[in-house]
Amino acid sequence: MKKLLLIFSIATLVINCGSSSKSNSSSVQLNGAKVVDPTEYASTITSAELKEMLYKYASDEFEGRETGEKGQKMAVEYLKAQYQAMDIPTPLDDNDYFQEVPLEKQSVSEAKISISGQSFKSYEDHIVLRSSGNMDISTDEIVYVGYGIDADNYSDYKDIDVKDKIVLAKVGEPKDADGNYVTSGTMEDTKWTNGRQSLSSKRDAAKDNGAKGLIYMDNNLFARYAPYFQRQAMAGGSGRLSLKSNTPELTMLMVNDTLGKALFATILEDEKPKAIKTDIKLSIENKSEVIGSENVVAYIEGSVKPDEIIVISAHLDHEGIKDGQVYNGADDDGSGTIAILEIAEAFKMAEKAGHGPKRSVLFLHVTGEEKGLLGSRHYTDNDPIFPLENTVANLNIDMIGRTDPKRKEGDRNYVYLIGSDKLSTELHNLSEEVNSKYCNVELDYTYNDENDPNRFYYRSDHYNFAKNNIPVIFYFNGTHDDYHRPSDTADKIEYDLLENRTRLVFHTAWELANRSERLVVDKATE
């Protein structure tokens, strides 16, 4: 890492961010409060250092950083060493930079199901999506919950008790007289109708209402999932990772229409939730393996409001080795990981010069993003190091080193911003103002559209903060031909863009950490 002397060396690039001629004074006016000019600290974020670190972090040596495997362990040790070299402490006890994230590597479980003496076959009629333990049940009653939706303006769980019971739900969402979905009032897909997101939304609804098991009928999704599960079972297990919980998790099965109708003959026509009589026998053997993984955490304590936290996050993992090829993950998300190290060093240099942030800044490298946002979910749902109510904002960086070949118009010096206006209008405006003042990056909101079919807002680690009503910005360059391929290598990174985008995140974090008032949250997550 660079020496403090570099604080006074300002790069002169065509698209430089942080050495703007608009301000050469030692302080600037933001939000009516006099604050230190951060441009000299931003200028210490350089493409040369980003390149040096990324060539190491995304090298074959790290074996693609698969969650829980050797390469991921090497990655967290590398990050720890960088923070120690910068003299940036950890908020954890015993000088431990690792937040343990307990995971389960799941094997494909097979269920035995019979209804009134009639047996149904694995992979032909049913598959086990999740089982938190062995199960052996014989019951004459389950609860039919219609579509399994639990939203503010429509709930299939209203006035019905499902505590510790098995519930049966079906695919879809009801529509009103105009053909609009009842939860949104539009014809566009919602989180209750959109494929895998619908599956997870209905799973969460069942769990939140206290059910111990969910049988979900979706003929189309079953036809896609069942062959995959069967192949995995024949190969010895799926290897899918999930967070290990200290409390029993919801057991979840997916079934086809044949089994759904055997449980409840009028399931396709009937929408009214009710307890139903059925003679079902169900047994499941769970063969999951417990493994360990780690988030890496470091922080700089605020000088005025240390209890208020700005979280800057990126995921440290990638796809590992497949068929003998290393998936290096230079852009995804080596670029975001190394960006955080440079941002952290810039804040540290400011602190050494007597200009440390007024609010605390947490540098959070999360594991298991590629496995379902597991590390960030563990942080927000199980073990927040700092109370979520004290968390002012999350700036999440996931792929900022390349350009999107599908983007045919606009400046190459761009970044996609997602989520900045979802919860806080003030955050969105602050982001725009900071960029205009210091960076002049083209801010592209294409994927911020509520109707974006890619649904990127739900697909990276910021979402686990957003669902807790913490304002977020997701910085993203879009996908490319090397996305999730072994060809995502460090030589293909556009380091001038990586530098400029990293400086943009730093400037935004600086303003959030030093402004006089905390962000106002004027919206809420649905």
Side-chain angles (χ1 to χ4, degrees):
M1 305 299 286
K2 65 182 86 63
K3 293 183 173 65
L4 186 61
L5 177 63
L6 285 180
I7 212 172
F8 303 106
S9 176
I10 298 178
T12 55
L13 298 176
V14 174
I15 56 168
N16 57 3
C17 174
S19 53
S20 169
S21 62
K22 295 180 182 179
S23 175
N24 294 315
S25 61
S26 62
S27 63
V28 294
Q29 293 292 125
L30 288 176
N31 297 300
K34 191 175 183 180
V35 295
V36 174
D37 185 346
T39 54
E40 56 184 342
Y41 306 115
S43 71
T44 67
I45 298 169
T46 67
S47 58
E49 286 203 341
L50 289 161
K51 183 175 184 178
E52 179 184 356
M53 288 189 290
L54 188 52
Y55 263 82
K56 175 72 172 180
Y57 193 76
S59 67
D60 287 355
E61 178 186 355
F62 285 70
E63 299 184 355
R65 309 186 302 277
E66 170 110 27
T67 303
E69 301 296 333
K70 175 186 172 184
Q72 184 253 300
K73 303 298 183 183
M74 295 176 67
V76 298
E77 291 291 346
Y78 176 84
L79 296 173
K80 174 182 177 180
Q82 297 304 308
Y83 284 113
Q84 288 177 325
M86 291 186 285
D87 196 27
I88 297 177
T90 173
L92 300 175
D93 294 334
D94 301 322
N95 200 33
D96 187 356
Y97 286 80
F98 299 155
Q99 180 188 39
E100 299 299 325
V101 181
L103 302 173
E104 283 185 334
K105 181 179 287 187
Q106 298 176 342
S107 297
V108 174
S109 299
E110 290 191 22
K112 294 181 180 179
I113 300 177
S114 65
I115 301 172
S116 301
Q118 179 185 358
S119 295
F120 293 84
K121 295 182 179 180
S122 290
Y123 313 118
E124 290 186 20
D125 301 305
H126 57 82
I127 53 175
V128 179
L129 297 178
R130 178 175 179 81
S131 176
S132 63
N134 296 335
M135 178 176 284
D136 195 356
I137 292 175
S138 178
T139 183
D140 62 359
E141 183 179 283
I142 62 175
V143 181
Y144 173 59
V145 290
Y147 296 99
I149 295 171
D150 190 14
D152 290 341
N153 61 341
Y154 176 92
S155 178
D156 289 310
Y157 288 90
K158 185 179 180 181
D159 301 326
I160 192 163
D161 179 21
V162 301
K163 180 72 173 174
D164 295 326
K165 297 179 181 179
I166 295 175
V167 299
L168 171 65
K170 63 183 177 182
V171 66
E173 176 179 342
K175 296 181 177 181
D176 62 22
D178 297 321
N180 296 316
Y181 288 118
V182 294
T183 62
S184 65
T186 72
M187 295 183 183
E188 301 293 334
D189 281 353
T190 73
K191 71 176 186 176
W192 304 104
T193 60
N194 189 58
R196 288 186 298 174
Q197 191 184 9
S198 170
L199 184 66
S200 60
S201 297
K202 294 182 181 186
R203 173 203 65 202
D204 292 345
K207 182 179 178 181
D208 291 345
N209 281 277
K212 70 177 179 181
L214 169 63
I215 299 174
Y216 182 62
M217 189 188 77
D218 183 338
N219 219 41
N220 291 332
L221 208 55
F222 180 84
R224 289 168 49 194
Y225 276 36
Y228 170 80
F229 274 64
Q230 188 170 25
R231 289 194 300 270
Q232 292 298 318
M234 294 175 65
S238 72
R240 291 177 298 127
L241 292 181
S242 62
L243 277 177
K244 179 174 173 54
S245 175
N246 293 326
T247 58
E249 287 287 325
L250 182 79
T251 294
M252 189 171 180
L253 288 82
M254 184 184 291
V255 303
N256 61 12
D257 288 3
T258 300
L259 182 47
K261 290 177 183 178
L263 287 167
F264 184 40
T266 58
I267 186 172
L268 295 177
E269 299 81 26
D270 200 329
E271 297 183 2
K272 185 177 180 181
K274 66 193 71 176
I276 56 176
K277 295 296 182 180
T278 182
D279 178 17
I280 180 172
K281 291 181 173 60
L282 168 65
S283 63
I284 301 173
E285 182 181 4
N286 186 344
K287 299 178 181 179
S288 297
E289 174 190 356
V290 177
I291 67 170
S293 191
E294 302 84 15
N295 293 333
V296 179
V297 289
Y299 93 129
I300 294 177
E301 186 174 36
S303 60
V304 177
K305 298 181 177 182
D307 292 336
E308 295 187 11
I309 312 298
I310 312 299
V311 178
I312 307 176
S313 63
H315 70 89
L316 60 88
D317 62 311
H318 194 55
E319 294 283 302
I321 300 175
K322 299 178 181 179
D323 299 323
Q325 293 185 292
V326 177
Y327 284 61
N328 301 96
D331 194 23
D332 184 16
D333 185 28
S335 61
T337 301
I338 299 308
I340 290 185
L341 291 177
E342 283 285 89
I343 292 167
E345 188 181 33
F347 271 107
K348 184 63 179 181
M349 289 186 169
E351 184 185 55
K352 285 182 177 179
H355 300 142
K358 292 179 171 56
R359 292 179 177 84
S360 296
V361 181
L362 179 69
F363 309 105
L364 175 64
H365 302 264
V366 293
T367 188
E369 190 270 355
E370 302 288 2
K371 309 301 182 183
L373 316 184
L374 300 181
S376 57
R377 181 150 62 92
H378 178 69
Y379 181 94
T380 59
D381 294 11
N382 299 339
D383 187 24
I385 295 170
F386 296 99
L388 297 184
E389 58 268 25
N390 293 354
T391 303
V392 175
N394 168 232
L395 306 181
N396 183 52
I397 316 169
D398 193 351
M399 301 174 60
I400 59 166
R402 297 280 295 272
T403 56
D404 181 355
K406 297 186 295 295
R407 189 176 185 272
K408 301 300 184 183
E409 297 180 0
D411 196 327
R412 72 180 280 271
N413 180 32
Y414 77 95
V415 69
Y416 293 122
L417 289 196
I418 303 172
S420 63
D421 62 349
K422 302 292 188 189
L423 298 170
S424 174
T425 304
E426 194 170 34
L427 175 60
H428 176 77
N429 293 338
L430 177 154
S431 169
E432 288 274 348
E433 291 165 7
V434 165
N435 179 58
S436 177
K437 184 173 186 63
Y438 296 109
C439 296
N440 295 312
V441 175
E442 183 178 335
L443 304 182
D444 189 325
Y445 296 98
T446 296
Y447 294 124
N448 193 54
D449 190 326
E450 289 287 347
N451 299 318
D452 168 34
N454 299 283
R455 301 183 73 78
F456 287 125
Y457 178 65
Y458 303 95
R459 289 172 53 183
S460 191
D461 294 295
H462 60 279
Y463 181 68
N464 282 317
F465 289 89
K467 74 182 186 183
N468 286 286
N469 290 316
I470 295 168
V472 302
I473 301 178
F474 172 21
Y475 299 86
F476 178 53
N477 54 221
T479 59
H480 40 71
D481 290 342
D482 302 307
Y483 174 65
H484 281 198
R485 303 288 298 166
S487 50
D488 181 9
T489 50
D491 59 299
K492 295 179 180 177
I493 298 296
E494 300 179 56
Y495 287 95
D496 58 339
L497 298 181
L498 177 55
E499 173 190 291
N500 210 37
R501 293 160 178 170
T502 302
R503 289 183 179 188
L504 172 62
V505 181
F506 167 75
H507 277 293
T508 306
W510 178 278
E511 167 62 1
L512 287 168
N514 289 294
R515 70 200 309 266
S516 56
E517 299 298 328
R518 178 173 173 164
L519 279 178
V520 174
V521 179
D522 53 9
K523 303 174 186 177
T525 298
E526 293 182 359

